[in-house]
Every structure is written in C-alpha cells, then in structure tokens.
Amino acid sequence: MTLVAHLTELRNRIAKALLALGLGTIAGFLWYDHGLLTFLSEPYCSLPAELRFQGDDNCRLVVLDVFGGVLLRLKIGLIAGAVLSSPFWLWQLWAFITPGLKRNEKRYAVTFVAASTSLFALGAVLAYVTLYKGLELLLGLAGDEVAFQLTAPDYLGFVISLLIAFGLSFELPLIAVALNLVGVLSHAALSKSRRWIFFLTIVFAAFVTPTQDPFTMLAMALPMVVLFELAIQVARVVDRRRAKRDALEHFHGLSDDEASPLDAGPSAVDTAPTPPGALLAEDPAPADRAR
C-alpha cells in the first residue's frame, strides 16, 4: 500500500473507533441512573452511618454547582463508554497493525493484549474490593465527632483514579516480560535486582495509591511483588530457551574443520562407539604378536 492508502485506512479506522466510543458514551450516559452510580457509590454507602452525614435515611453524594451534575454524568459516561466499546476500537487498532506483523509477532501480540487486559481487570477488581477498607480507615482518622458528606465529583473522581492506578500498576510486570522477550532485559539483570525491584514496588505503591493508607498500599504492593517474581521466572525460561536455540543455530552453521560448541566430557568420550577401522588399526599384526 502507498502512504496515502495507509493514511486513508488509518482515518477510516479512527472514525469507526470514535463512532464506537460515541455510542458507548451514550450507553454509559443512560446506564448512569440504572446501576452504574449505585455500583460506584456502594463502597461509600456501605460505611458505618456515623461516618456519613445523612439528612435522611438515604446515602447521597452532594453536588455544589449547577453544571456539576451534567459534567459529572458526561465524565462517567465517557469512561464507561470507553470500557464498553473497548473490544471494537481495540479490534480497529489490531486490524491496522496486523498486516505488518509476522506470524510469531502476531502470536506474541495476541498473548500480550490478552494478558494486559486480564491484569488491568484484576487490578481494578482488587481496587474496588479494597476501597471500602481504605475509606473506612481514612474517614475514621478524623475522630468520632466528625461526619463526612462527600461531593460527587470528588468521590467519583477518587474511585476512578484508584481503579485506573491499580489497573495500570499491574501492567508493569508485563512490561518487564515484554522487554525480556525482545532481548533488552535479561533474566540475570532481573534476578540480580530482585531486592531493589521489590523495594521500589512498595515505594511506588505508597506514592501512586490515592488513599496513601497502609492497607491500600499493601493491597497494591503485595500482588505486584508476586507478579514481578512471576515475570522473573518467565524471563528465566525465555533466556534458557534462547540460549539453547542460539547454541543449536551456531552448531548447524559450523564448517567441517570447526570444533563443535557442545560440551563433550570424558563420559561422552568413553561411551562413544569405536569405529571398526580404528580397532583394526590398533590391533597388532600376527607377525608382530609372534615376535
């Protein structure tokens, strides 16, 4: 394809992706009043009643300006629409990139996309599960005489930032695996830096978590440590296979007068069969034996 044809295809696929995003945003905008807002506010509404200021028996979030509710609904609808339409716009991206990839590169790309999606979802689910404990700890530190009435933009922005922070953080070990697959980062370097990786992971979790409480920090750091250890073990297997493959390629590329790189120890020499010609050459002639 020519450059103009590539640009035309890119324009068409971006237009289709934006159309899918717009339809997803409309669906998220309509979903806002039919379960989405309840789902996002459930961790706050599940807190003990003494931590929340309630004018009535219902759990309500507050909006302090006229356009705050509309902007909040559009923001939540856009984020929900991006999630709902992600299969379609990711497919448009994949269809644009695929013709330029080889078969093994396509296989790696599919595996990488599936793993990154699963890790992001795992991080978001873990963030939502730990959100209740984090809020209870943070709001409880203010004392028994203080009750909170959170504004909807602040609270929902906090929840979304926590979900995104957990989801993106769980992608970091996958990036280490990807760097190892392309040969930039070796298992030896990862294994040697294991303690520093674990320490920096804890520091990273302390700065990234919006709540910055010990419970949420450990809830992010401990799974990331496990994932980094898994990434180190994957790098060990990949480097071992790569070394074996390189040795075989080097062996097949040798000329007739070059020594083999394979390690032939004494045991291999002793157990190797002796050619019949060598036995005849070493066997003394009958006349010599008679002498």
Side-chain angles (χ1 to χ4, degrees):
M1 296 177 63
T2 63
L3 177 60
V4 176
H6 275 297
L7 294 177
T8 303
E9 182 187 6
L10 179 61
R11 181 198 62 190
N12 294 336
R13 296 199 178 278
I14 290 177
K16 293 177 182 179
L18 291 177
L19 177 61
L21 179 60
L23 295 176
T25 302
I26 294 175
F29 188 85
L30 298 176
W31 184 24
Y32 183 84
D33 277 339
H34 297 83
L36 180 58
L37 181 60
T38 303
F39 173 77
L40 293 175
S41 59
E42 181 62 27
Y44 171 69
C45 293
S46 299
L47 293 173
E50 58 268 16
L51 292 179
R52 294 182 285 108
F53 177 79
Q54 294 177 302
D56 50 22
D57 294 335
N58 296 325
C59 175
R60 298 179 183 272
L61 297 171
V62 179
V63 176
L64 300 179
D65 58 281
V66 176
F67 295 101
V70 176
L71 296 177
L72 176 66
R73 186 163 185 164
L74 287 174
K75 177 181 177 181
I76 300 300
L78 178 61
I79 296 174
V83 175
L84 293 175
S85 62
S86 59
F88 187 83
W89 56 262
L90 283 175
W91 166 252
Q92 295 299 320
L93 177 62
W94 174 250
F96 180 76
I97 296 176
T98 299
L101 299 178
K102 299 178 182 179
R103 180 177 299 179
N104 61 333
E105 293 174 340
K106 293 179 183 179
R107 185 173 66 252
Y108 286 142
V110 171
T111 304
F112 183 81
V113 170
S116 61
T117 304
S118 301
L119 288 175
F120 187 91
L122 177 62
V125 170
L126 183 60
Y128 186 82
V129 171
T130 59
L131 182 59
Y132 170 80
K133 289 293 184 182
L135 285 174
E136 185 179 22
L137 178 61
L138 288 177
L139 300 184
L141 292 176
D144 297 335
E145 303 300 324
V146 177
F148 290 85
Q149 190 171 14
L150 302 180
T151 63
D154 290 340
Y155 170 75
L156 295 178
F158 165 76
V159 172
I160 292 173
S161 63
L162 185 66
L163 297 179
I164 294 176
F166 266 73
L168 293 180
S169 298
F170 277 39
E171 304 286 344
L172 295 179
L174 185 62
I175 295 177
V177 173
L179 293 176
N180 175 257
L181 288 174
V182 298
V184 176
L185 195 59
S186 65
H187 167 258
L190 286 172
S191 180
K192 184 178 180 181
S193 306
R194 178 184 276 109
R195 295 182 179 180
W196 278 106
I197 291 174
F198 293 166
F199 172 74
L200 293 177
T201 298
I202 297 175
V203 175
F204 173 81
F207 281 98
V208 168
T209 51
T211 59
Q212 295 184 350
D213 63 281
F215 180 82
T216 308
M217 182 195 71
L218 292 177
M220 176 187 285
L222 293 181
M224 286 184 64
V225 167
V226 174
L227 290 174
F228 268 117
E229 180 61 32
L230 181 61
I232 292 174
Q233 298 306 318
V234 171
R236 180 177 64 86
V237 175
V238 171
D239 284 2
R240 181 177 297 178
R241 290 181 178 179
R242 183 182 290 124
K244 186 179 298 185
R245 184 178 64 251
D246 293 343
L248 290 176
E249 291 177 355
H250 182 65
F251 172 72
H252 290 300
L254 291 176
S255 61
D256 294 338
D257 57 348
E258 286 184 288
S260 169
L262 300 179
D263 185 15
S267 59
V269 176
D270 295 340
T271 57
T274 305
L279 294 175
L280 294 176
E282 293 178 0
D283 190 21
D288 295 336
R289 286 201 301 266
R291 296 195 192 110

